[in-house]
Amino acid sequence: MTAATYFEDVVVDQVKLTPAVTVTEAHVEMYQGITREMSATGQIPDVLPLCLGVGLAWRVKDPPMAVQAFVALDWKVVKELRVGDTMHSRSRIVSKRPMRDAGLIVDERTILDQHGEVVQQGRFTFLVAKRNKEALA
């Protein structure tokens, strides 16, 4: 059984930082090979940093949230990222609201470049599972 972070485990205002990655032309080419979204040489498609940031989030030490549904995304590109830039992501839990068998979690994410400047930012809203009642007994 894979470890997971359940609704009860999520702490409001908890901040997590991902490792960094330097964006290469190979990242851009692989992304374009899948999406067919083209960009000028040296430029990075707007969604690629978001995709890399989500992937980097799997490399933090805590287990991933037990997400049952992706509810919403409110995202903004602040500044262009270019090939050769190094990026990492910062995540902060903004709020949590319990429901019957799960709960809503709002996760504020920021993608930063090698200078610590905000490149992209926004909020994810997830429906996260509560622990199984039988497991608690």
Side-chain angles (χ1 to χ4, degrees):
M1 183 172 187
T2 304
T5 299
Y6 292 94
F7 179 80
E8 298 87 346
D9 305 322
V10 175
V11 179
V12 174
D13 287 329
Q14 181 179 27
V15 175
K16 294 180 184 178
L17 298 174
T18 68
V21 65
T22 299
V23 183
T24 66
E25 194 63 49
H27 290 115
V28 176
E29 290 173 6
M30 286 188 287
Y31 175 84
Q32 290 174 334
I34 293 169
T35 66
R36 301 292 184 217
E37 180 183 341
M38 303 314 276
S39 60
T41 303
Q43 288 186 329
I44 295 176
D46 287 341
V47 179
L48 180 56
L50 173 61
C51 295
L52 291 171
V54 169
L56 288 171
W58 283 89
R59 296 184 56 200
V60 299
K61 68 177 181 75
D62 298 326
M65 285 190 285
V67 175
Q68 293 180 324
F70 179 77
V71 179
L73 173 64
D74 178 23
W75 199 253
K76 174 172 67 170
V77 175
V78 176
K79 172 184 161 180
E80 183 179 279
L81 196 65
R82 299 191 62 80
V83 169
D85 285 343
T86 299
M87 59 160 276
H88 73 279
S89 177
R90 179 179 63 221
S91 170
R92 181 175 72 89
I93 301 301
V94 177
S95 67
K96 62 189 269 188
R97 189 176 88 212
M99 299 171 75
R100 176 186 275 166
D101 297 321
L104 290 175
I105 301 288
V106 177
D107 182 1
E108 184 177 74
R109 303 248 180 131
T110 305
I111 296 176
L112 304 146
D113 67 11
Q114 66 271 22
H115 306 292
E117 296 176 1
V118 175
V119 176
Q120 297 185 4
Q121 62 187 7
R123 290 182 174 196
F124 291 86
T125 303
F126 301 110
L127 182 68
V128 177
K130 289 186 177 177
R131 272 200 176 74
N132 188 338
K133 291 178 179 82
E134 291 83 38
L136 295 174

